Amino acid sequence: MKYYCLCFVLLMLPASLWAEEPHVFAHRGASGYLPEHSLPAKAMAYAQGADFLEQDVVLTKDNVPLVLHDTHLDGITDVARRFPDRKRKDGRYYAIDFTLDEIKQLNATQRFSRKTGKPVYAERFPLDGYTYQLHTLEEEIRFIQGLNMSTGQNVGLFTEVKKPSFHQAEGRDIAKAVFDVLNRYGYGADKKSACWIQCFELNTLKRFRNEFGWKGNLMMIFSGGKPGPDGSDYDALATAAGLKQLSETVDGVFPNLPRVVTWDKSGQAECSEFTEAAHAAGLRVVTGVVRRDDLPKHCPSVAALHEALFNQAGVDDVCTDFPDLSVEWLKTQQAD
Ligand code: CA
């Protein structure tokens, strides 16, 4: 009797949910150890066993997709010193105001505070330890595909299209520019393609599916609070009905951590119904970000964080600044 029940449950689950092992998504590479988005950070994440490496992508003045977390250059480069008269009225230096050739002249480092000049994470790689050149999405794809060739693995891309509405207001189409590069390198032909596209704006994900013919995986990212710049209402989309509606377009969701789990003052995890509702809609769930040096409020340890995510909340995948810690924790579960 139990056997038939189990078979029934397995048949009811979408194939993508039970056929695949948990994935480790390296957040900006192994950014807990090396400057975010630098190629060494990507190589380290690759060697630590991450399944997917993240690229945040913005456009340059000459419309080149660039791997950079912010639309600004001033949080990780010396742009303010090199091009002091190129800031906008808000005091910020925007990647979209600089050509790739100009951006290649900048020294990039660990992330720092613009106000104090101090590193954002004091215990991480030092600001003066290493400078590097920002690189394009295409350069990173060649880097990852090169590693895939030399190792025989198939580590994937986790590509976030940053701020489509901002780019649109600047007269640009970042979604199309990112799609063109990924398509040229053979990504997005089907769900087995080693690339997830992620975005905070649902309209952009709809364009990938309906306008560009992207057949690969798509992931909706949720923030807390007010709706996104394209009107994406995260609270409404996080309901059972909203997740069902999302599943018409996307394959997975990346909720902000408090939508999935919080911890009380005694360190006990309290899980929401988000993951269950997402699974009922046939969606994979990834969340995080796991940061050893910046744990969620009242969460006692990295191990407790993983325990709550996978064994209590039931998420499928994790996004992490410390890929080795996530990979190691998942191995301990396999051994049990
Ligand atoms: Ca991102």
Side-chain angles (χ1 to χ4, degrees), residues 27-28 37 54-56 69 160 162 198 200 221:
H27 185 245
R28 311 181 202 172
H37 283 315
E54 189 191 34
Q55 305 79 38
D56 293 302
H69 179 264
E160 183 182 345
K162 298 296 290 192
Q198 33 158 352
F200 280 101
I221 321 175

Coordinates of all heavy atoms in Angstrom, one line a residue, residues 27-28 37 54-56 69 160 162 198 200 221, ligand 1:
H27 N 27.0 32.8 -5.7 CA 26.6 34.2 -5.8 C 27.7 35.1 -6.1 O 28.6 35.3 -5.3 CB 26.0 34.5 -4.5 CG 25.3 35.9 -4.4 ND1 25.8 36.9 -3.6 CD2 24.3 36.4 -5.0 CE1 25.1 37.9 -3.7 NE2 24.1 37.7 -4.6
R28 N 27.8 35.6 -7.3 CA 28.9 36.5 -7.8 C 30.2 35.7 -7.8 O 31.3 36.3 -7.5 CB 29.0 37.8 -7.0 CG 27.6 38.5 -6.9 CD 27.8 39.8 -6.2 NE 26.5 40.2 -5.6 CZ 26.2 41.2 -4.8 NH1 27.3 42.0 -4.4 NH2 25.1 41.5 -4.3
H37 N 32.5 38.7 -8.6 CA 32.5 38.7 -10.1 C 33.9 38.7 -10.8 O 33.9 38.8 -12.0 CB 31.6 39.9 -10.7 CG 30.1 39.6 -10.5 ND1 29.6 38.4 -10.9 CD2 29.1 40.4 -10.1 CE1 28.3 38.5 -10.7 NE2 28.0 39.6 -10.2
E54 N 27.1 32.7 -11.0 CA 26.2 33.8 -11.3 C 26.9 34.9 -12.1 O 28.1 35.3 -11.8 CB 25.7 34.5 -10.0 CG 24.6 35.5 -10.3 CD 24.2 36.4 -9.2 OE1 25.0 36.7 -8.3 OE2 23.0 36.7 -9.2
Q55 N 26.2 35.5 -13.0 CA 26.6 36.8 -13.7 C 25.5 37.8 -13.5 O 24.4 37.5 -13.9 CB 26.8 36.6 -15.2 CG 27.8 35.5 -15.6 CD 27.2 34.2 -15.5 OE1 26.0 34.0 -15.9 NE2 27.9 33.2 -15.1
D56 N 25.8 38.9 -12.9 CA 24.9 40.1 -12.9 C 25.3 40.9 -14.2 O 26.5 41.1 -14.4 CB 25.0 41.0 -11.7 CG 24.5 40.3 -10.4 OD1 23.3 39.9 -10.4 OD2 25.3 40.1 -9.5
H69 N 27.5 44.0 -10.7 CA 26.3 43.9 -9.9 C 25.4 45.1 -10.0 O 24.2 45.0 -10.0 CB 26.6 43.6 -8.4 CG 25.3 43.5 -7.6 ND1 24.9 44.5 -6.8 CD2 24.5 42.4 -7.4 CE1 23.7 44.1 -6.3 NE2 23.5 42.9 -6.6
E160 N 21.7 37.1 -14.3 CA 20.7 38.0 -13.9 C 20.7 39.3 -14.9 O 21.7 39.9 -15.0 CB 20.8 38.5 -12.5 CG 19.7 39.4 -12.1 CD 19.7 40.0 -10.7 OE1 20.5 39.5 -9.8 OE2 19.0 41.0 -10.4
K162 N 20.0 42.8 -15.1 CA 19.8 43.8 -14.1 C 19.0 45.0 -14.6 O 19.3 45.6 -15.7 CB 21.2 44.3 -13.7 CG 22.1 43.3 -13.0 CD 21.6 42.7 -11.7 CE 21.6 43.7 -10.6 NZ 21.4 43.0 -9.3
Q198 N 17.6 34.9 -14.6 CA 16.9 35.4 -13.5 C 16.7 36.9 -13.6 O 17.5 37.7 -14.2 CB 17.6 35.1 -12.2 CG 19.1 35.2 -12.3 CD 19.9 35.4 -11.0 OE1 19.3 35.6 -10.0 NE2 21.2 35.3 -11.1
F200 N 14.2 40.4 -11.6 CA 13.2 40.9 -10.6 C 12.0 41.4 -11.4 O 11.0 41.8 -10.8 CB 13.8 42.1 -9.8 CG 14.7 41.8 -8.7 CD1 16.0 41.8 -8.8 CD2 14.1 41.4 -7.5 CE1 16.9 41.5 -7.7 CE2 14.9 41.0 -6.4 CZ 16.3 41.1 -6.5
I221 N 12.9 36.5 -9.5 CA 13.4 36.9 -8.2 C 12.4 37.8 -7.4 O 11.8 38.6 -8.1 CB 14.8 37.7 -8.3 CG1 15.6 37.1 -9.5 CG2 15.5 37.7 -7.0 CD1 16.9 38.0 -9.7
Ligands
CA1 CA 22.2 38.8 -8.7

